[in-house]
């Protein structure tokens, strides 16, 4: 065992760094965080310190899946003389280093802990970092802890309100997040702008012109009519202009050349990398970060979570040497470019760049996606250090000439000529700036031929294009990242995870790179904006990010920052809480439940015991003690009345009279018919037919009623799958009004019995095939249709068609198929 232990975050880094440090060091991996907040409530201890002041303490635990890793680290730490904490160079990495120190200190027994950081995993960078260790940066750790506490308070306090007040399927999976909910708000507000936008028609006029001497053709655009910019909104006006111009030629009245300088973009930050990878490569932010993480861990690029555009002096010098050697002195600027990071950027970080600029993409061995991303990063960095491009913008103005023209019409065309390509030689960008899809003001063409003033050109044809004004565009994942960054919401490490959370919660979806909010997203956003707008708006969330920065950079205490938030947070939560229901409503429900003579036996589900009688007594005791009762308690009591409707015949009438009816299916029918449905499924051994039925059955047994949609699906399953029951007709009468669609009518065809007999001679069936989440088993399918036919003396049209199609598919395994097929009307080809 070596005398020095160095701990990094990932096994891949451990393997790489281990090669650099030699036998003096043992390199271990923590595999990310080793401690986290427990999932249950109570993870944050909040103690009042006086008016408007609190103290905040996080209670951490080691997750079960990390106990083995921690045990190995403790063993290594106990044997080492010095311990180096080499987690990532950001707040999250600093927090990991602090957690490691906290957990390992008892076994280290006073041994020194040293914090080392590096922006790239190269031998020189790692050795330099190890030679200059420092202490754990506690202001940075406090900033990370404050963020974690903020996120936990918001998630654990607001999410239950969504479960309670937002009505949608699976509402217990709804969640709110400090950054996540603001990102959702941006999506929803943009979508509403798109929906509200009403396009207007307008017309762009121009001409295809041709030089008389060379015959070279190019396009010009109408720029002025009678000295004013054209605004043509009516097709009749457009047609009238074209008629006026018929027979006219074009005369060059002005030529202008403007020298321009094009400066390269700064090297990548996290957000600009995600945006460029999306536009150039079609990568999602999540995919980009996964690939960048691997490139960093294998020593190809610098740290990939950064909002800084700084470049080290060593990297600039290496870039200069590469540029001059490969392209010449002219391609390196007279003075190195200096790029300015945003005020909120962490200055100690560098931009994302290759660790060795001489390692050109063509010389490295990487798989396709990783190679594409490395090529993008390499080109962006090298281009950022190269000389500006020199171009000339040539613009020509033409006037229509014809005897008797009603209007004076000017046309323009322009093109960009490259005088010196500079950084464009590497960047892969074009000379002209990329125009937006809806940029109809541009008259730029690929190439403007040589022209002279007073030169006359022929018009090949006049052009009139009908256009529609375009409204705001839906966000792409990359443009949402840009919007978050521009508004100061979130940090580089959060962007990709925020987008993935929005999709995982089914708040939004991405189709053809465009993100659009879903119904759940609209419902959640609307509730949050209506009730907690002060917490979930762009300005306040950005303000919180700035406050977190103050903890790290200016030494503001964590408790001070969190107290300011907590005062506003608790006031906002109190303001959005619904007042408790009037006690008179509970008295009405209690009076109904007092008539129950026989309570259901207590039922244990998991660790909890559900006892109706005990629940009613506990609520009564709470009321008697003067403690307020909640709307949720009233809701459960009303549902309980429904479940005991057999002992309370007038329950529905009384509840209706006092406005206490449950939503959806009426209370008595919901409980009684739902129970009858589950009884039918139980008799047919179908209570576990799928996850949905299992879920709503468990929900029902806990005393909760079913939503109208749930009950509708339940009724449909019973009518479809329980037709073998002797009292099926009774179920048809009871449930037909609730089923999502009528049960299909059965038909009898005289060929059906013989059709089934074809399958009796099949000895070898095709292996079951997976389709979506189902397994298609031909043998079981035929058997199920036989059973159905035996019970109903017929098949549905769809079943009959499927059976015929399957017979044709097994023609080679059915003896005498051709003769039988002719008799049964089978074509011998795939049945349609």
């Amino acid at each position: 065992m070596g005398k020095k232990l160095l701990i990094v975050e990932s096994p891949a880094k451990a393997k790489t760094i281990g090669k650099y440090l030699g036998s003096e060091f043992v390199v271990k991996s923590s595999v990310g965080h080793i401690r986290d907040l427990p999932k249950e409530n109570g993870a944050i201890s909040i103690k009042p310190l006086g008016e408007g002041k609190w103290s905040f303490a996080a209670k951490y635990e080691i997750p079960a899946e990390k106990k083995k890793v921690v045990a190995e680290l403790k063993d290594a730490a106990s044997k080492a003389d010095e311990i180096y904490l080499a987690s990532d160079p950001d707040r999250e990495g600093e927090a990991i280093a602090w957690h490691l120190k906290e957990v390992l200190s008892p076994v280290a027994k006073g041994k020194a802990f040293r914090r080392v950081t590096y922006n790239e995993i190269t031998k020189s960078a790692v050795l330099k970092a190890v030679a200059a260790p420092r202490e754990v940066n506690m202001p940075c750790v406090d900033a990370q802890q404050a963020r974690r506490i903020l996120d936990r308070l918001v998630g654990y306090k607001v999410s239950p309100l969504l479960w309670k007040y937002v009505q949608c399927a699976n509402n217990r999976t709804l969640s709110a997040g400090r950054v996540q909910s603001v990102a959702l708000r941006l999506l929803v507000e943009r979508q509403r702008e798109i929906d509200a936008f009403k396009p207007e028609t307008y017309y762009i006029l121009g001409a295809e012109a041709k030089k008389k001497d060379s015959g070279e053709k190019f396009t010009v655009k109408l720029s002025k009519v009678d000295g004013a910019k054209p605004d043509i909104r009516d097709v009749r006006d457009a047609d009238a202009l074209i008629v006026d111009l018929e027979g006219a030629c074009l005369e060059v009245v002005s030529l202008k050349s403007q020298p321009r300088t094009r400066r390269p973009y700064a090297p990548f930050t996290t957000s600009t990398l995600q945006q460029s990878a999306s536009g150039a490569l079609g990568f999602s932010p999540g995919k980009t970060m996964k690939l960048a993480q691997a490139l960093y861990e294998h020593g190809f690029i610098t740290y990939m979570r950064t909002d800084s555009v700084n470049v080290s002096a060593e990297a600039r010098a290496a870039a200069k040497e590469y540029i001059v050697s490969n392209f010449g002195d002219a391609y390196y600027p007279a003075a190195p470019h200096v790029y300015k990071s945003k005020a909120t950027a962490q200055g100690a970080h560098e931009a994302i760049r290759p660790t060795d600029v001489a390692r050109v993409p063509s010389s490295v061995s990487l798989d396709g996606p990783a190679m594409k991303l490395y090529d993008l990063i390499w080109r962006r960095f090298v281009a950022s250090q190269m000389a500006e491009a020199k171009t000339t913008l040539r613009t020509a103005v033409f006037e229509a000439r014809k005897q008797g023209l009603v209007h004076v019409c000017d046309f323009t065309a322009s093109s960009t000529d490259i005088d010196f390509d500079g950084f464009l030689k590497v960047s892969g960008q074009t000379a002209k700036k990329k125009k937006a899809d809806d940029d109809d003001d541009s008259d730029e063409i690929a190439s403007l031929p040589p022209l002279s003033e007073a030169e006359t050109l022929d018009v090949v044809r006049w052009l009139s294009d009908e256009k529609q004004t375009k409204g705001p565009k839906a966000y792409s994942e990359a443009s949402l990242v840009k919007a978050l960054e521009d508004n100061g919401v979130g940090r580089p490490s959060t962007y990709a995870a925020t987008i993935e959370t929005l999709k995982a919660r089914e708040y939004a979806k991405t189709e053809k790179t465009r993100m659009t909010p879903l119904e759940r997203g609209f419902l959640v956003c609307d509730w949050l904006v209506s009730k907690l707008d002060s917490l979930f708006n762009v300005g306040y969330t950005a303000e919180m990010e700035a406050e977190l920065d103050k903890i790290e950079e200016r030494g503001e205490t964590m408790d001070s920052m969190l107290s300011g938030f907590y005062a506003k947070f608790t006031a906002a939560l109190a303001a959005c809480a619904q007042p408790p229901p009037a006690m008179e409503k509970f008295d009405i429900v209690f009076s109904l439940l007092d008539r129950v003579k026989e309570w259901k036996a207590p039922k244990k589900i998991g660790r909890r015991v559900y006892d109706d009688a005990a629940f009613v007594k506990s609520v009564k005791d709470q009321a008697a003690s003067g403690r307020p009762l909640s709307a949720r308690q009233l809701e459960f009591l009303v549902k309980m009345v429904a479940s005991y409707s057999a002992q309370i015949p007038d329950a529905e009438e009384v509840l209706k009279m006092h406005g206490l009816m449950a939503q959806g299916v009426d209370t008595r029918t919901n409980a009684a018919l739902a129970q009858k449905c589950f009884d039918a499924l139980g008799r047919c051994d179908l209570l576990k037919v799928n996850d949905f039925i299992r879920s709503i059955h468990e929900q029902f047994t806990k005393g909760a009623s079913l939503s109208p949609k749930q009950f509708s699906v339940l009724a449909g399953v019973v009518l479809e799958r329980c037709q073998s029951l002797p009292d099926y007709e009774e179920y048809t009468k009871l449930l037909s009004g609730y089923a999502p669609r009528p049960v299909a009518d059965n038909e009898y065809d005289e060929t059906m019995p013989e059709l089934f007999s074809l399958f009796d001679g099949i000895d070898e069936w095709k292996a079951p095939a997976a389709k979506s989440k189902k397994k298609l088993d031909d043998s079981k399918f035929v058997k199920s249709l036989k059973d159905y036919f035996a019970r109903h003396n017929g098949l549905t049209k769809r079943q009959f068609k499927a059976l015929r199609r399957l017979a044709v598919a097994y023609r080679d395994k059915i003896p005498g198929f051709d003769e039988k097929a002719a008799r049964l009307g089978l074509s011998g080809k795939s049945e349609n």
Side-chain angles (χ1 to χ4, degrees):
M1 190 68 158
K3 293 184 179 181
K4 297 178 181 179
L5 170 66
L6 184 136
I7 304 173
V8 296
E9 287 184 37
S10 78
K13 276 190 281 189
K15 186 175 180 180
T16 303
I17 291 173
K19 297 175 182 176
Y20 298 154
L21 295 177
S23 59
E24 186 181 0
F25 278 83
V26 169
V27 183
K28 294 283 187 180
S29 165
S30 68
V31 197
H33 278 277
I34 61 166
R35 293 200 303 184
D36 198 2
L37 298 173
K39 292 183 179 180
E40 63 271 8
N41 278 319
I44 310 297
S45 173
I46 305 173
K47 295 180 180 179
L49 298 176
E51 186 175 352
K53 295 181 180 179
W54 293 266
S55 68
F56 299 82
K59 301 175 182 177
Y60 295 105
E61 68 176 14
I62 298 171
E65 65 272 17
K66 286 299 179 75
K67 291 187 182 297
K68 183 179 178 181
V69 171
V70 170
E72 292 175 355
L73 293 176
K74 283 183 175 180
D75 180 61
S78 68
K79 298 174 182 176
D81 293 330
E82 297 176 48
I83 302 166
Y84 290 78
L85 307 174
S87 44
D88 287 342
D90 56 11
R91 284 181 190 161
E92 211 66 29
E94 204 68 26
I96 289 174
W98 175 72
H99 283 294
L100 285 166
K101 183 177 178 181
E102 290 288 298
V103 171
L104 300 180
S105 286
V107 298
K109 297 178 181 178
K111 296 169 187 173
F113 282 86
R114 308 185 192 281
R115 174 75 170 120
V116 297
T117 57
Y118 35 79
N119 285 316
E120 59 186 67
I121 302 177
T122 59
K123 186 172 184 178
S124 60
V126 171
L127 292 177
K128 184 178 179 181
V130 170
R134 59 171 172 81
E135 295 296 316
V136 172
N137 182 343
M138 286 311 299
C140 186
V141 173
D142 286 344
Q144 189 275 346
Q145 287 197 92
R147 176 189 293 278
R148 193 77 178 88
I149 290 171
L150 278 177
D151 292 344
R152 172 56 68 93
L153 288 175
V154 171
Y156 274 53
K157 295 292 185 181
V158 179
S159 296
L161 297 178
L162 297 178
W163 307 341
K164 185 175 183 179
Y165 296 121
V166 177
Q167 300 301 315
C168 66
N170 299 318
N171 69 340
R172 295 286 292 188
T173 63
L174 299 177
S175 74
R178 191 176 54 85
V179 174
Q180 160 199 320
S181 297
V182 174
L184 175 61
R185 182 170 182 173
L186 290 175
L187 285 177
V188 168
E189 289 178 348
R190 173 62 60 85
Q191 188 60 46
R192 289 205 163 117
E193 290 173 9
I194 293 169
D195 294 341
F197 178 78
K198 294 181 179 179
E200 296 178 3
T201 301
Y202 67 100
Y203 295 85
I204 295 178
L205 272 60
E208 186 178 353
K210 181 177 70 172
K211 283 176 65 70
K212 290 182 180 295
D213 54 1
S214 66
E216 187 174 353
K217 297 177 184 178
F218 59 98
T219 302
V220 299
K221 181 183 174 184
L222 180 67
S223 59
K224 288 183 181 179
V225 177
D226 298 329
K229 183 178 179 180
D231 183 17
I232 305 170
R233 301 283 172 163
D234 192 307
V235 67
R236 291 169 294 185
D237 294 335
D239 290 344
L241 267 176
I242 294 294
V243 170
D244 188 31
L245 289 165
E246 285 294 346
C249 62
L250 293 173
E251 181 182 319
V252 180
V253 296
S254 170
L255 292 171
K256 184 167 61 175
S257 294
Q258 295 175 283
R260 292 189 170 185
T261 299
R262 180 108 175 257
R263 182 181 166 93
Y265 290 124
F268 283 129
T269 62
T270 300
S271 66
T272 56
L273 174 62
Q274 291 173 354
Q275 293 159 43
S276 292
S278 174
L281 307 175
F283 292 172
S284 69
K287 180 175 182 177
T288 297
M289 294 312 293
K290 184 177 180 180
L291 291 169
Q293 176 89 32
L295 289 173
Y296 166 66
E297 291 182 351
H298 288 88
F300 285 97
I301 63 171
T302 53
Y303 192 54
M304 67 287 159
R305 292 189 183 92
T306 177
D307 47 10
S308 170
V309 292
N310 294 340
V311 176
S312 69
E314 294 87 347
R316 281 201 302 270
K320 177 180 180 180
E321 181 180 346
Y322 178 84
I323 292 165
V324 171
S325 298
N326 287 272
F327 306 114
D329 290 332
Y331 282 87
Y332 191 78
H337 297 306
V338 177
Y339 299 100
K340 188 175 181 181
S341 298
K342 292 190 175 184
T344 56
Q346 297 184 49
H349 287 180
E350 275 197 74
I352 302 171
R353 61 169 176 80
T355 56
D356 181 0
V357 72
R359 188 155 51 181
V360 298
S362 60
S363 70
V364 300
S365 178
L366 292 167
D367 63 20
M371 172 62 82
K372 290 178 181 178
L373 190 65
Y374 180 70
D375 181 77
L376 193 71
I377 294 168
W378 185 89
R379 288 181 183 279
R380 176 72 165 241
F381 172 67
V382 174
S384 75
Q385 304 302 304
M386 293 178 73
E388 297 94 340
K390 305 292 184 182
T391 62
T392 298
L393 178 66
R394 297 174 56 223
T395 304
V397 181
F398 311 84
E399 188 175 314
R401 301 290 193 201
K402 185 182 85 167
Q403 277 294 85
L405 268 176
V406 177
H407 299 284
V408 177
C409 296
D410 291 340
F411 297 79
T412 59
S414 64
S415 67
T416 300
D417 297 336
I418 299 177
D419 303 317
F420 173 65
D421 56 2
F423 75 92
L424 296 174
K425 195 174 193 72
V426 169
S427 71
Q429 295 167 262
T430 58
K432 66 177 183 178
K433 291 187 177 180
K434 183 181 178 182
K435 69 175 184 178
D437 295 337
D438 55 354
D439 182 9
D440 292 322
D441 289 331
S442 175
D443 63 358
E444 194 163 0
I445 59 177
S447 177
L448 190 64
L451 297 166
S452 57
E453 289 194 19
E455 181 179 350
T456 303
L457 298 106
D458 292 331
V459 174
V460 179
R461 58 184 176 132
W462 297 104
L463 305 172
S464 177
D465 289 339
E466 181 181 304
K467 298 279 188 175
Q468 294 276 319
T469 55
K470 296 182 180 180
K473 288 184 177 180
Y475 284 112
S476 65
E477 292 187 5
S479 63
L480 180 59
V481 165
K482 186 176 188 303
L484 292 171
E485 183 187 40
D486 289 346
N487 285 290
V489 175
R491 283 295 179 262
S493 60
T494 65
Y495 298 138
T498 296
I499 287 172
E500 292 307 313
T501 298
L502 291 177
K503 294 191 290 185
R505 296 290 184 191
E506 297 181 347
Y507 292 165
K509 65 178 179 179
T510 300
E511 287 184 339
K512 296 180 179 179
T513 76
R514 296 297 173 188
M515 285 195 79
T516 53
L518 299 171
E519 182 183 5
R520 284 163 62 90
F522 280 109
L523 291 171
V524 168
C525 181
D526 289 347
W527 190 88
L528 291 174
V529 171
S530 66
K531 300 293 185 181
L532 296 168
D533 175 63
S534 62
L535 298 178
F536 295 104
N537 63 68
V538 168
Y540 182 66
T541 306
E543 182 184 325
M544 285 296 96
E545 296 292 349
E547 292 296 317
L548 289 169
D549 290 341
K550 288 180 183 178
I551 296 175
E552 178 179 353
E553 297 164 7
R554 302 185 193 175
E556 181 176 339
T557 67
M558 183 174 73
D559 285 345
S560 173
M561 180 266 163
L562 289 174
S563 289
F565 162 79
Y566 194 65
K568 183 173 182 176
F569 182 62
T570 52
L573 292 183
C576 81
Q578 290 186 356
M583 193 60 214
E584 290 78 8
K585 293 187 176 183
F586 283 94
D587 291 338
I588 292 164
V589 178
F590 286 146
S591 68
L592 290 172
L593 291 170
D594 286 343
R595 291 154 60 184
V596 175
K597 303 300 182 185
E598 185 178 343
W599 294 95
K600 296 176 184 176
K603 182 176 292 187
K604 185 175 183 180
I605 300 177
R607 295 180 179 180
R608 299 186 64 180
V609 175
Y610 293 86
D611 187 328
D612 291 350
F615 176 72
V616 173
K617 182 179 183 304
S618 70
V619 179
K620 284 183 175 181
D621 291 344
Q622 182 177 334
S625 69
R627 289 176 291 158
L629 302 179
S630 70
R632 191 164 181 81
Q633 287 173 312
L634 181 62
E635 179 187 351
F636 275 107
L637 290 171
V638 170
K639 290 176 180 178
M640 193 175 292
V641 169
S643 68
Y644 286 93
S645 58
Q647 299 183 54
I648 317 171
D650 60 341
E652 182 180 338
E653 183 181 346
V654 173
L655 292 174
K656 277 183 178 178
M657 185 187 308
H658 295 281
L660 289 169
M661 284 295 295
Q663 296 295 313
V665 183
D666 68 72
T667 52
R668 182 190 302 170
T669 303
N670 187 21
L673 278 189
Q675 186 61 61
K676 196 168 183 66
C677 287
F678 287 124
D679 289 344
L681 292 175
R683 290 160 63 193
C684 295
D685 197 25
L686 293 171
L687 280 176
K688 297 182 179 180
V689 64
N690 59 41
D691 290 340
F692 176 76
I693 294 298
R694 279 199 299 271
S695 172
I696 63 171
H697 183 237
E698 181 179 341
Q699 171 185 329
F700 184 76
T701 57
K702 290 179 179 179
S705 60
L706 305 183
S707 70
K709 187 173 182 180
Q710 288 174 324
F711 187 80
S712 174
V713 174
L714 176 65
V717 171
V718 170
L719 292 180
E720 183 180 347
R721 304 293 296 273
C722 296
Q723 297 176 16
S724 61
L725 295 177
D727 52 349
Y728 176 74
E729 291 304 320
E730 180 186 348
Y731 282 99
T732 302
K733 294 175 184 177
L734 289 171
L735 302 177
S736 58
Y738 298 106
R741 57 184 179 276
V743 179
D745 293 329
N746 297 318
E747 294 181 357
Y748 178 84
D749 188 286
E750 60 184 9
T751 64
M752 288 178 181
E754 186 174 359
L755 188 59
F756 277 114
S757 70
L758 296 182
F759 296 94
D760 294 339
I762 296 178
D763 297 323
E764 184 179 351
W765 294 85
K766 295 177 182 177
K771 184 177 182 182
S772 186
K773 294 182 179 180
K774 297 181 179 179
K775 248 191 175 179
L776 304 181
D777 189 320
D778 294 342
S779 175
K780 290 183 179 178
F781 176 67
V782 171
K783 184 178 183 303
S784 70
L785 290 187
K786 275 187 179 180
D787 294 339
Y788 187 97
F789 180 79
R791 292 197 306 270
H792 304 289
N793 196 34
L795 298 173
T796 66
K797 288 182 179 179
R798 188 175 178 183
Q799 289 171 330
F800 187 33
K801 185 177 178 181
L803 188 66
R804 290 170 63 85
R805 190 164 52 239
L806 197 61
V808 173
Y810 278 88
R811 59 178 300 165
D812 294 334
K813 298 182 182 295
I814 299 174
F817 176 84
D818 292 338
E819 179 186 344
K820 296 174 183 177
R823 189 166 58 251
L824 296 172
L826 299 176
S827 65
K829 298 178 181 179
S830 178
E831 292 275 316
N832 295 314

